[in-house]
Amino acid sequence: MQETSSILQWLSGFFDAEGCVRVNKCVRGTFTTYSPRLVIVNTNFNTIEFVVSFLSKLGINCYVQTRHVTGNRIPCKVIEIGRVSKVFDACLLMYNHSITKKEELYLMSKFCYSRI
């Protein structure tokens, strides 16, 4: 249990630094939907795989893609959590240990709660 707590504290800090809280808007004709997203982008593939593995153990599945860039930039991997219930769970997990994105996680959790 202590190890999970330590990793969760680390993940919250990592999300504070590398993460993004979004609401995507999708318009189809006259119908508009809004969907929550938690996104983490990083160039260290081992770290991204560790985060995906840890979240998976907690029941939070993620979509992972590799972004190939042009020029002399380093390729990066993107983790995206998009299911409303999973975004809600992730927000609750990271909220207590978050510093810079605490309010964003709170607002996103309220948004997700209203959608569940």
Side-chain angles (χ1 to χ4, degrees):
M1 183 64 182
Q2 177 62 30
E3 182 179 323
T4 301
S5 177
S6 297
I7 295 171
L8 193 53
Q9 291 172 1
W10 172 84
L11 178 62
S12 299
F14 186 68
F15 184 78
D16 278 350
E18 304 290 334
C20 177
V21 178
R22 293 186 185 156
V23 177
N24 288 357
K25 179 180 177 180
C26 181
V27 179
R28 293 187 181 124
T30 59
F31 191 69
T32 304
T33 60
Y34 298 92
S35 56
R37 296 279 187 268
L38 296 180
V39 180
I40 300 173
V41 181
N42 197 276
T43 58
N44 188 319
F45 288 16
N46 292 332
T47 302
I48 292 297
E49 294 305 320
F50 175 79
V51 170
V52 170
S53 173
F54 179 72
L55 290 175
S56 178
K57 287 178 187 174
L58 297 177
I60 299 173
N61 39 347
C62 315
Y63 174 73
V64 181
Q65 78 180 61
T66 302
R67 287 192 186 156
H68 299 285
V69 294
T70 58
N72 62 353
R73 299 183 73 188
I74 301 172
C76 61
K77 280 204 175 194
V78 180
I79 300 173
E80 189 169 330
I81 305 170
R83 180 173 284 164
V84 175
S85 61
K86 302 305 177 185
V87 172
F88 181 71
D89 292 344
C91 286
L92 293 181
L93 282 173
M94 293 187 290
Y95 177 77
N96 288 332
H97 305 293
S98 181
I99 297 170
T100 60
K101 290 195 169 67
K102 191 173 195 101
E103 188 165 331
E104 293 174 37
L105 290 171
Y106 174 76
L107 291 173
M108 181 59 81
S109 67
K110 297 297 266 183
F111 174 75
C112 291
Y113 183 75
S114 73
R115 304 277 316 271
I116 295 176

